[in-house]
Amino acid sequence: MNTASPEELRGLFLFESLDEGKLGWLSECGTVEEFPANGVICAQGDPAEFLYVLLDGEIVMTQTVRGHAVEVSRTARPGTYGGAVQAYLGDKIEQKYQHTLRATGPARVFRLPARKFSKAVRQWFPMGAHLLEGIFFGMSNARRIVDQRERLTALGTLTAGLTHELNNPAAAAARASAELGDRLLAAQLTLADLAARGVDCSHLSALVSLRPALPAPPGGRRSPLEVSDAEDELGDWLEEHGVGEAWDLAPGLVSAGIGIEQAEEVEGAAGEHLPAAMRWLAEVLEVAQLQAEISDAMGRITALLDSARQYSQLDRAAYQRADLRELLDSTLTMLKRKFGPDVTVKVDYDESLPPVPVYAAELNQVWTNLIVNALQAMQGSGTLTVRTARENDHALVEIGDTGTGIPEENLDRIFTPFFTTKPVGEGTGLGLDISWRIVVGRHGGDIQVVSSLPGDTRIQVLLPLTGPDTADPAS
């Protein structure tokens, strides 16, 4: 190994402001190492023992996420550095390489021991070292706190939406349940009245065993005009047979499938007690309708709770294969309350896409962030498109909107922490940063944005279709 002269070090932007004494010290303490093409300079996860500074050649920085090497940067600029860049923090953190540096071709690299680098920073720039330390831990704490706030805010939004969605079927079920008791009592009293009037047991049995159901016409559901004609026809029949309130009873009977043919069956069973029998039948049919409303409401509640379970992934392991369609559908359901009447939602799912190994609950947070951003960009009017497809060995999820678009000067900044175009107090600027870290950092995928001004913005998430057998819990 050779040494780098003070003159060569002075030509690097990293050291250009140092005086002769400091440059001489670096020259004595550091060495120059040569790497062949594809030579590994340092490997992620190994003990961080050296700071590396590029002298000439080209290097690429990668991070390994779940077995996939994700390229972070590539440069041939002399003075670019990597390796033990956090050595100045000493034993306050675990000193391991946070990335892998590799030479793309023959390269020369200045190598400085981490302990000497740490000592130099603290002795030469004591105030700077304290500031850097404060920034590092301050940003770490701030990010953790804001991450928690973002999750709580999302949880609050989804809880409010879920409560609103549950309230409608719950109120319908409660209303139908309250009316059901009254109708059951009325039906029982009417049936008792029929018995008191002398309708024998065989007639009662015939009434109870009736299962009136008028089949749908050959053309399908009847038109409003056909329904109106049927109500008039049945109302006339009831009135001719002495049934009181005939025109009040007819609509409910017709909606339940009762026509003149079924009414004649009731007449055959009840005889001269037809008016009371028709009232009883109308009450029984209303009871059945109320039961159907309760069943439908409970089905909607069950579906909403299933979406909430799917969204939270409370009953699943942290990392396993999941159907992206189910995750996206559950998120759309949870966010339904945010869709205004002028927002159209279109889904285009690739049915052949296999389950993908993911942290499902974390990905649902990504979908939430992207969909909420799209809705805000459209300002209550437009088309939200959710699409899945396969791109080689990756699954693609695309969230598109027809909103205002993203200015070209902001495209490279939207994943930067704390960057936001929203008014003060309305956004933290961490939604997309969190999404990037979940997609890239946790899943070894990629997230990109394509935007045309205005009317066509698409956030594209790429996720590996294959993953290791076991998950690494570290983020």
Side-chain angles (χ1 to χ4, degrees), residues 124-470:
W124 296 350
F125 315 105
M127 182 177 177
H130 286 301
L131 288 174
L132 287 172
E133 184 176 323
I135 291 172
F136 176 84
F137 289 111
M139 289 288 288
S140 298
N141 292 334
R143 175 171 286 180
R144 182 171 60 254
I145 292 170
V146 177
D147 279 3
Q148 292 173 349
R149 178 188 176 279
E150 288 283 319
R151 283 191 287 268
L152 289 174
T153 299
L155 179 61
T157 300
L158 294 171
T159 300
L162 181 61
T163 301
H164 176 82
E165 292 296 327
L166 287 173
N167 182 64
N168 291 334
R175 181 180 64 254
S177 179
E179 294 181 9
L180 182 62
D182 294 338
R183 298 298 179 271
L184 280 172
L185 179 59
Q188 290 171 349
L189 292 175
T190 303
L191 193 60
D193 180 60
L194 285 170
R197 293 185 184 190
V199 179
D200 62 29
C201 292
S202 61
H203 285 160
L204 287 174
S205 176
L207 285 173
V208 172
S209 63
L210 283 175
R211 293 292 183 269
L214 189 64
R221 181 176 297 180
R222 288 180 291 181
S223 68
L225 181 59
E226 291 173 327
V227 171
S228 178
D229 290 343
E231 290 176 357
D232 290 342
E233 187 178 3
L234 181 60
D236 289 338
W237 188 94
L238 293 174
E239 194 169 55
E240 291 172 1
H241 288 75
V243 177
E245 302 177 348
W247 298 102
D248 292 330
L249 293 177
L253 292 170
V254 169
S255 68
I258 301 298
I260 292 178
E261 181 181 348
Q262 287 73 29
E264 289 174 345
E265 291 183 29
V266 177
E267 182 185 25
E272 63 184 23
H273 302 292
L274 175 64
M278 291 303 299
R279 286 195 299 273
W280 172 81
L281 181 60
E283 290 163 350
V284 168
L285 291 174
E286 191 169 0
V287 167
Q289 184 177 358
L290 290 170
Q291 287 177 323
E293 288 180 11
I294 293 174
S295 177
D296 177 69
M298 296 309 296
R300 289 163 60 194
I301 290 173
T302 299
L304 284 167
L305 292 177
D306 185 64
S307 292
R309 174 195 58 77
Q310 177 70 31
Y311 181 87
S312 65
Q313 297 290 307
L314 290 177
D315 62 343
R316 296 195 178 193
Y319 181 81
Q320 67 174 37
R321 292 187 174 274
D323 189 333
L324 293 179
R325 294 170 299 178
E326 293 181 359
L327 302 185
L328 290 163
D329 281 342
S330 68
T331 304
L332 289 171
T333 299
M334 298 297 288
L335 292 173
K336 182 179 178 181
R337 185 167 176 256
K338 284 186 168 290
F339 301 155
D342 296 325
V343 172
T344 301
V345 179
K346 293 183 178 180
V347 296
D348 179 14
Y349 296 152
D350 182 350
E351 300 295 332
S352 66
L353 194 64
V356 181
V358 296
Y359 291 95
E362 295 182 25
L363 274 187
N364 281 339
Q365 185 179 2
V366 173
W367 312 145
T368 299
N369 291 340
L370 300 184
I371 291 172
V372 168
N373 282 352
L375 293 174
Q376 291 173 341
M378 292 189 292
Q379 299 178 349
S381 176
T383 300
L384 174 74
T385 303
V386 181
R387 183 173 74 91
T388 66
R390 180 166 184 161
E391 287 199 359
N392 300 320
D393 58 348
H394 284 73
L396 168 69
V397 176
E398 184 176 81
I399 310 295
D401 67 74
T402 57
T404 56
I406 302 172
E408 185 176 355
E409 63 268 20
N410 290 340
L411 287 177
D412 293 334
R413 305 172 62 197
I414 63 171
F415 297 111
T416 303
F418 303 107
F419 173 76
T420 179
T421 58
K422 299 174 185 176
V424 175
E426 294 186 14
T428 62
L430 282 179
L432 289 178
D433 170 57
I434 291 172
S435 299
W436 189 91
R437 283 188 279 130
I438 290 173
V439 172
V440 178
R442 292 284 273 173
H443 292 85
D446 194 14
I447 182 168
Q448 304 166 351
V449 59
V450 178
S451 184
S452 300
L453 291 175
D456 180 18
T457 298
R458 287 167 285 136
I459 305 292
Q460 299 172 331
V461 174
L462 290 166
L463 299 167
L465 288 173
T466 59
D469 295 332
T470 58

Side-chain angles (χ1 to χ4, degrees), residues 42-48 62-64 94-100:
C42 66
Q44 181 179 339
D46 288 350
T62 62
Q63 286 189 318
T64 303
E94 186 177 20
Q95 292 290 344
K96 289 187 176 182
Y97 292 123
Q98 301 299 308
H99 49 255
T100 295

Side-chain angles (χ1 to χ4, degrees), residues 51-81:
L51 174 76
Y52 295 96
V53 182
L54 180 64
L55 295 175
D56 53 62
E58 183 185 62
I59 58 174
V60 61
M61 178 185 293
T62 62
Q63 286 189 318
T64 303
V65 183
R66 308 201 53 75
H68 300 275
V70 180
E71 183 172 320
V72 177
S73 65
R74 180 186 295 258
T75 182
R77 183 186 182 188
T80 301
Y81 55 90

